[in-house]
Amino acid sequence: MKNDKTSQNYTLNRRNFVTGIIPVIAGATIPSWASAKEIQQTREDNDFPGLITREKKPLNMEFPFPTLKNRITPNNQFFIRSHFNIPNIDATNWELEIGGNTNHVIKINLSELKKLPAKKVMATIECAGNGRANLAPKVKGLGWEQGGISNAEWTGVPLSVLLKKAGIKVGTVDIILEGNDEGMITEEPKSPGKIKFARSIPLNIAMQDHIIIAYEMNGKPLSAEHGFPARAIIPGWYGMASVKWLMKITASEKPFDGYWQTIEYAYWKRVEGLPTLTPVTTTLVKSEISRPVLFEAVPAGKPYQVRGAGWSGDSNLSKVEISTDKGNSWQPAKLIGPAIPFAWQLFEFEWVVPAKTGRYSLMARATDQNGKTQPMEHDLDRRTYMVNFISPIDVDVI
Amino acid sequence: MKNDKTSQNYTLNRRNFVTGIIPVIAGATIPSWASAKEIQQTREDNDFPGLITREKKPLNMEFPFPTLKNRITPNNQFFIRSHFNIPNIDATNWELEIGGNTNHVIKINLSELKKLPAKKVMATIECAGNGRANLAPKVKGLGWEQGGISNAEWTGVPLSVLLKKAGIKVGTVDIILEGNDEGMITEEPKSPGKIKFARSIPLNIAMQDHIIIAYEMNGKPLSAEHGFPARAIIPGWYGMASVKWLMKITASEKPFDGYWQTIEYAYWKRVEGLPTLTPVTTTLVKSEISRPVLFEAVPAGKPYQVRGAGWSGDSNLSKVEISTDKGNSWQPAKLIGPAIPFAWQLFEFEWVVPAKTGRYSLMARATDQNGKTQPMEHDLDRRTYMVNFISPIDVDVI
């Protein structure tokens, strides 16, 4: 009976892809994993253990969130987001150009970049579309479930150091970060032919110390998938701002309205009730339960360690709360380890599983030190971005 | 033989809808006309003689460009563009609100509006998507052929008079014009729920004398289809700025990035080679041949009066030229009547039709007094807007 019920739920539920990876955690092989394997054939075996393929061309893979154990995501488990083919860059020829509204146009190669004063920053990067698969009705776009997010320690040169070298002129308002990845969006709304991935950040953000041009991820050179040889890291912002395969930095006198902050990665802010298009920026407060997973069978009457992570781009967390009764009551979870700015914080909560068997619903709700808390529903004005509503994990107490 | 060839071309050619109206001009009834008839059943008979239906819900109809005879388009032949259902407005309750960054919020009813100093402006209004049907490959969006354009004389109150009444405060950069028409865009990219049609113009444009809030069109009150009881007229700009069913005018301290000037009615301007989203504004220089129509059979060896209209939102025309040999040589057409700012100018050209029968290609090319001239091809950066490339009219000399 139990097995029947569970397999039925796998079929019915919109989250069956994530539930599909449970056997992987247990070591078994299942079809959904096979597609990821295929990609790995072009790389060293076990390059991406457990990563969930969302798209093969271009390569988009999720961190297997139910395997969350440590604050730092190993490099080969860090989620992969690419908009076009991953560029094959020869580090010996690579140069980063800094120009636009500057006193000089400067070019820096990789060894010169590595000689500049470096800084380490821990930063959780969440894709702006993470959780999109949970939206109802179904939406277009890459169907990220839970794992369009990971956390690493990045090493690089503060962007401000490079901007000062080039000599930013008065009147600059935006810094455009341009990657080496390019291609064409053929679905509506189409891109105007081939375009390069590019994103801007305001000058006042760009000059902050923790905004770096990173060449290392958890102490190792960036892999091709993560932006080799150098990428931007914009801690506290959704991932689209942390431009990979960086090739050009441009000081602009006008706010930049590029494809990736207007047509894509933009949401609606209201002016006099009218929606106005605004680039997605800061990561909203959010938490996700990593264990139990959806429709996990949980033994009745025994304690169960609920686990997960919470984060907020704006500030540190003040609390994560758990509800085991569909949001009627909330109990505090324990935050693990110190608060580190821009990095997620793991949590745990000992659930006294009821003796009564049946379907139970678990929810996690994070609140940050600005008093912002996760909402119960998705706001339509956010389009398919910034999905941070509380997504219940239904389990079967057996 | 001749008839076979012609009907084959009707089928093959992308412009078969316009060619399909030839029998209407000759007084016959054809199926494409029937759909327009259906709409007319809700209105006085012959309300829209010859208008070509592009969409029934919402109502979108083209001016039958091949019937062009007079500079002024009769009200019942003026093209109709609506994004949502046409609002049913009771003039006795209607009020126009002017507020935002102003000293006062003022409300003006229709009889008060009509008592204010009025101004007459002749203005050609072209839909930003006019000519879209000629793009190859086929594009999405309403398939306007030649007739998403018409010319009328508008009577109304300069917007500046209303703005001065409300007392525009320092710091205002944009004036938002908001219509009473609303609905939901359900195709990607979707609107955030129901939205009202709204568009902004910069304050310096808004204060110009010829920008009016019109309540009459060719001396008659606006009909429901054309914005009753009052609409904006922004001469020299594509039609989307001339907001119909006007209900609210808002002074804004920031540039307004509404749906209809970002997702819709926006194009790509390059910054450092990168496409940046920019609202469609000024009407580009363009001319269209109204006679002959595509695949018209023209008698050999006799003079033929080629006709059409040319316009430019930026300035008056300096010339319209005709090529009868696929663009190898150009001859001046005769511009008819005086140049009137913001209004199209009709042209004619006596074509000495060759004695040799066969397929000939006619082209018209307008140049304005800024020296801007029609291009040979559509620029991809303009998306599906501002279509002004030279579109040849192929005819059969018999």
Side-chain angles (χ1 to χ4, degrees), chain A residues 86-294:
Chain A
I86 292 168
N88 212 338
I89 297 174
D90 177 358
T92 55
N93 296 329
W94 179 84
E95 275 185 334
L96 178 61
E97 181 182 317
I98 301 131
N101 194 41
T102 57
N103 293 326
H104 339 275
V105 175
I106 60 170
K107 291 182 180 190
I108 289 184
N109 67 30
L110 189 56
S111 61
E112 288 164 344
L113 186 72
K114 286 182 175 173
K115 278 177 198 140
L116 293 171
K119 195 177 157 73
K120 281 185 194 295
V121 179
M122 193 189 286
T124 297
I125 309 280
E126 183 182 14
C127 177
N130 188 37
R132 183 183 286 149
N134 296 334
L135 295 177
K138 276 265 170 268
V139 293
K140 283 188 76 169
L142 211 55
W144 296 109
E145 175 80 37
Q146 285 187 297
I149 182 166
S150 299
N151 182 54
E153 191 185 57
W154 310 89
T155 307
V157 178
L159 175 55
S160 62
V161 170
L162 299 172
L163 295 178
K164 281 174 195 156
K165 263 187 175 299
I168 295 296
K169 284 202 231 170
V170 172
T172 300
V173 296
D174 253 16
I175 301 296
I176 307 168
L177 306 166
E178 186 179 342
N180 197 35
D181 48 332
E182 69 164 11
M184 210 145 123
I185 308 292
T186 52
E187 281 186 24
E188 298 289 347
K190 293 172 185 170
S191 63
K194 268 194 176 183
I195 57 170
K196 285 228 152 57
F197 187 88
R199 246 284 181 163
S200 76
I201 52 173
L203 178 64
N204 65 326
I205 301 284
M207 294 306 286
Q208 290 173 10
D209 243 24
H210 60 274
I211 308 292
I212 61 169
I213 306 306
Y215 47 79
E216 280 182 9
M217 179 178 178
N218 295 329
K220 286 182 188 159
L222 296 177
S223 68
E225 292 75 20
H226 294 295
F228 179 83
R231 67 177 294 174
I233 293 292
I234 317 295
W237 282 39
Y238 283 104
M240 76 279 130
S242 293
V243 176
K244 300 198 277 190
W245 311 293
L246 200 65
M247 59 178 283
K248 201 173 165 194
I249 296 171
T250 306
S252 172
E253 289 174 277
K254 285 199 286 188
F256 177 67
D257 293 315
Y259 189 91
W260 309 99
Q261 57 203 67
T262 51
I263 296 293
E264 301 272 355
Y265 302 124
Y267 69 105
W268 298 108
K269 226 176 182 167
R270 296 277 166 169
V271 170
E272 300 266 336
L274 299 167
T276 62
L277 203 65
T278 313
V280 169
T281 58
T282 317
T283 309
L284 299 183
V285 63
K286 186 171 174 181
S287 62
E288 290 181 345
I289 292 170
S290 61
R291 282 195 60 199
V293 299
L294 199 66

Side-chain angles (χ1 to χ4, degrees), chain B residues 214-384:
Chain B
Y215 46 79
E216 280 183 10
M217 178 179 180
N218 295 328
K220 285 181 189 160
L222 297 177
S223 68
E225 293 75 19
H226 294 294
F228 180 83
R231 66 178 295 176
I233 293 292
I234 318 295
W237 282 39
Y238 283 104
M240 76 280 131
S242 292
V243 176
K244 299 199 277 189
W245 310 293
L246 200 65
M247 59 178 282
K248 201 173 165 194
I249 296 170
T250 305
S252 172
E253 289 174 278
K254 286 200 285 187
F256 177 66
D257 293 315
Y259 187 90
W260 309 98
Q261 57 202 68
T262 53
I263 295 293
E264 302 272 357
Y265 301 124
Y267 69 106
W268 298 107
K269 228 178 180 166
R270 297 274 165 169
V271 170
E272 301 266 333
L274 298 166
T276 61
L277 204 65
T278 313
V280 169
T281 58
T282 317
T283 308
L284 299 183
V285 62
K286 186 171 173 181
S287 62
E288 289 182 345
I289 292 170
S290 61
R291 283 195 61 199
V293 299
L294 199 66
F295 302 124
E296 184 168 318
V298 175
K302 289 181 186 169
Y304 184 103
Q305 202 72 10
V306 176
R307 288 182 186 172
W311 58 93
S312 169
D314 265 342
S315 73
N316 292 325
L317 295 183
S318 66
K319 59 180 174 185
V320 172
E321 297 159 292
I322 303 292
S323 172
T324 58
D325 57 3
K326 301 186 188 225
N328 288 317
S329 66
W330 295 89
Q331 294 168 267
K334 184 184 157 198
L335 293 172
I336 301 165
I340 299 174
F342 313 120
W344 66 16
Q345 206 166 2
L346 306 193
F347 66 79
E348 55 186 29
F349 171 79
E350 197 176 274
W351 180 26
V352 184
V353 182
K356 193 175 183 299
T357 61
R359 171 68 47 90
Y360 289 80
S361 194
L362 273 70
M363 297 176 177
R365 180 173 75 179
T367 302
D368 70 18
Q369 290 181 2
N370 292 332
K372 288 183 184 158
T373 195
Q374 283 185 262
M376 285 301 289
E377 283 182 10
H378 185 65
D379 178 348
L380 213 56
D381 280 3
R382 293 189 198 154
R383 302 174 70 192
T384 67

Side-chain angles (χ1 to χ4, degrees), chain B residues 166-245:
Chain B
I168 296 296
K169 284 201 230 170
V170 172
T172 299
V173 296
D174 254 13
I175 301 297
I176 307 168
L177 305 167
E178 186 178 341
N180 196 34
D181 48 332
E182 69 165 10
M184 210 145 125
I185 308 292
T186 52
E187 281 186 26
E188 298 289 346
K190 293 172 186 171
S191 63
K194 268 195 177 184
I195 57 170
K196 284 229 152 58
F197 186 89
R199 247 281 181 163
S200 75
I201 52 174
L203 179 62
N204 63 326
I205 300 284
M207 295 307 285
Q208 289 173 10
D209 243 25
H210 61 274
I211 307 292
I212 61 169
I213 306 307
Y215 46 79
E216 280 183 10
M217 178 179 180
N218 295 328
K220 285 181 189 160
L222 297 177
S223 68
E225 293 75 19
H226 294 294
F228 180 83
R231 66 178 295 176
I233 293 292
I234 318 295
W237 282 39
Y238 283 104
M240 76 280 131
S242 292
V243 176
K244 299 199 277 189
W245 310 293

Side-chain angles (χ1 to χ4, degrees), chain B residues 34-50:
Chain B
S35 53
K37 262 286 187 233
E38 227 175 287
I39 292 159
Q40 290 176 33
Q41 286 169 358
T42 60
R43 302 200 175 81
E44 202 183 329
D45 215 30
N46 258 344
D47 250 7
F48 307 122

